[in-house]
Amino acid sequence: MPDITLADTEGELYEVFHQKARGEHHVHVGAVHAASPELALVLAKEQYARRLACVNLWVVRARDIHASDYIDADMFDHATDKSYREAFGYKVVGKTRAQAQTRDRDD
Amino acid sequence: MTNLDAAVLKPLLFSLADDEVVIGHRNAEWTGHGPLLEADIAFSSMAQDELGHAQAYYALLHELGEPEPDRLAFLRSASAFRCAQLVELPRGDWAFSLIRQCLYDAAEGERLAALARSRFTPLAQAARKFAGEEKYHWLHARTWVEQLGRADDGRGRLQQALEQVYPYALGLFEPAEAEAELVALGVKPAEAELEQAWRERLTPVLAAAGLTLPAAAPIYGGRRGQHTPHLAALLNDMQLVFRSDPEAVW
């Protein structure tokens, strides 16, 4: 992966994850430069939680992230049609509705 | 409570509002000038918090018969301001502004915690509402101070700023007009009590950063309308647009 550690005095890059309510997933919203994880959290609050509702923030040192390489992006391609894997292939809503109607009629 | 005399409350509310509007203006001067973009945004954003608090205090004054908040902020001259001289000092370098923010917000935190129990209910409600923002301001200040205190250069600059700012910071606790009466009525705690709590809050944070509180005599006067020439210069900037057409609708 590319080296994203900064050589200047702005500290390191921290990726920021934002949680809008307890129980929800933390969602990646951006990054901040900071000299320590504590300072990264302090700065992330004003960058990413000043407008959105927020109950919790995570910061993760960007260099701790293991990433795949774009040169290998072809391994994500599907050589043959695999649309059967895609969730929208399932007509779950229609199916359950039909079952409910059948049940109503039988009752 | 309703049987409190407006004349007794007003100087207190002016001191709270004027501290906030002036420190808010000073900290907003970092917009575009912070040591890094993130720091710049955080400082400017906290400045907006302080201006919001000032507006709420001015609104309380308006309910007690004073002019509207904008007119209180933008049409009074320096001698009518009741802010401590600490907040009017020029922003200086990053170390100076940070140390000032640290000393100021430590005081603010203690003051609001005490005012949350004020017998003047609208003030108690405001204090409780501001608690979350002030919690962040304090976290911001102490995290920066602890961080910069880890290196000799940073620690040296912070200590130097601390020596300059400290006598002015003590001026935050200049007893208010009608202090004895306000304390007896349960509107506010005694300034001496706040100053003690402030010192207890600050000492471990400064110690962790390798800093020591200087011994100095307080610089008073701000609460009685005595100011450094810096306040008039600041107001000249801050009030320029409003004064050019006070009746304009924005």
Side-chain angles (χ1 to χ4, degrees):
Chain A
M1 68 179 285
D3 180 13
I4 45 176
T5 308
L6 295 184
D8 63 25
T9 56
E10 295 201 334
E12 282 190 82
L13 196 62
Y14 288 80
E15 298 295 337
V16 180
F17 297 78
H18 166 278
Q19 188 189 35
K20 72 173 181 207
R22 292 187 98 151
E24 302 254 336
H25 291 123
H26 283 71
V27 176
H28 182 243
V29 284
V32 290
H33 293 104
S36 69
E38 293 78 16
L39 205 47
L41 270 176
V42 164
L43 296 175
K45 185 260 178 194
E46 288 300 351
Q47 313 305 303
Y48 297 109
R50 66 199 292 252
R51 295 190 181 88
L52 304 169
C54 183
V55 294
N56 198 255
L57 284 177
W58 287 348
V59 292
V60 177
R61 205 181 265 122
R63 70 178 156 91
D64 288 340
I65 293 172
H66 299 266
S68 60
D69 207 314
Y70 284 111
I71 209 157
D72 298 326
D74 54 352
M75 72 186 177
F76 301 112
D77 290 345
H78 296 153
T80 60
D81 178 20
K82 304 232 177 29
S83 59
Y84 55 85
R85 287 181 183 167
E86 293 161 8
F88 56 73
Y90 296 93
K91 302 282 188 291
V92 179
V93 178
K95 226 181 236 175
T96 48
R97 197 171 290 145
Q99 278 172 352
Q101 277 168 358
T102 315
R103 227 177 16 244
D104 288 347
R105 209 177 38 237
D106 294 349
D107 282 347
Chain B
M1 74 190 281
T2 48
N3 55 345
L4 288 167
D5 184 1
V8 174
L9 292 170
K10 281 181 185 181
L12 168 65
L13 292 172
F14 271 116
S15 71
L16 292 168
D18 293 345
D19 273 356
E20 293 283 66
V21 80
V22 174
I23 193 87
H25 186 83
R26 275 294 182 232
N27 288 344
E29 289 175 352
W30 279 103
T31 309
H33 301 279
L36 61 158
L37 181 64
E38 289 86 340
D40 175 327
I41 291 173
F43 227 67
S44 310
S45 190
M46 289 189 298
Q48 289 177 332
D49 294 343
E50 309 293 27
L51 296 178
H53 302 173
Q55 191 175 33
Y57 293 134
Y58 286 137
L60 292 181
L61 280 160
H62 182 48
E63 283 167 25
L64 296 176
E66 289 291 319
E68 289 178 352
D70 277 357
R71 305 186 82 85
L72 290 174
F74 298 121
L75 291 180
R76 284 180 305 139
S77 60
S79 61
F81 273 71
R82 291 293 175 268
C83 53
Q85 292 181 13
L86 173 74
V87 295
E88 64 204 47
L89 301 174
R91 70 181 153 98
D93 63 7
W94 186 242
F96 184 91
S97 275
L98 266 186
I99 281 291
R100 171 164 59 184
Q101 198 237 321
C102 185
L103 301 189
Y104 181 82
D105 282 306
E108 197 62 9
E110 294 301 329
R111 195 177 290 281
L112 289 178
L115 288 178
R117 301 185 296 274
S118 173
R119 298 282 302 280
F120 179 43
T121 318
L123 182 55
Q125 285 166 343
R128 287 196 287 266
K129 202 164 143 191
F130 303 160
E133 286 181 349
E134 280 305 330
K135 184 192 260 186
Y136 173 74
H137 295 183
W138 172 239
L139 178 69
H140 176 275
R142 61 177 296 175
T143 309
W144 265 107
V145 166
E146 284 169 4
Q147 177 68 38
L148 294 181
R150 286 188 191 126
D152 290 343
D153 181 30
R155 191 166 55 250
R157 290 179 194 220
L158 289 176
Q159 183 67 40
Q160 199 186 352
L162 185 57
E163 315 269 340
Q164 285 179 313
V165 147
Y166 192 67
Y168 290 99
L170 291 172
L172 286 168
F173 307 104
E174 179 180 357
E177 209 175 294
E179 165 87 356
E181 198 177 348
L182 288 165
V183 173
L185 287 168
V187 172
K188 69 182 285 297
E191 292 298 313
E193 211 175 286
L194 281 180
E195 188 182 321
Q196 180 59 30
W198 173 75
R199 221 184 289 271
E200 282 165 18
R201 180 192 281 234
L202 273 177
T203 307
V205 170
L206 296 182
L211 304 172
T212 44
L213 276 185
I219 296 177
Y220 284 162
R223 304 290 186 222
R224 282 170 283 132
Q226 294 164 7
H227 297 287
T228 66
H230 303 302
L231 181 63
L234 178 149
L235 293 180
N236 198 34
D237 269 0
M238 188 179 95
Q239 299 178 336
L240 185 70
V241 174
F242 190 89
R243 281 179 184 268
S244 69
D245 184 359
E247 307 312 321
V249 178
W250 298 83

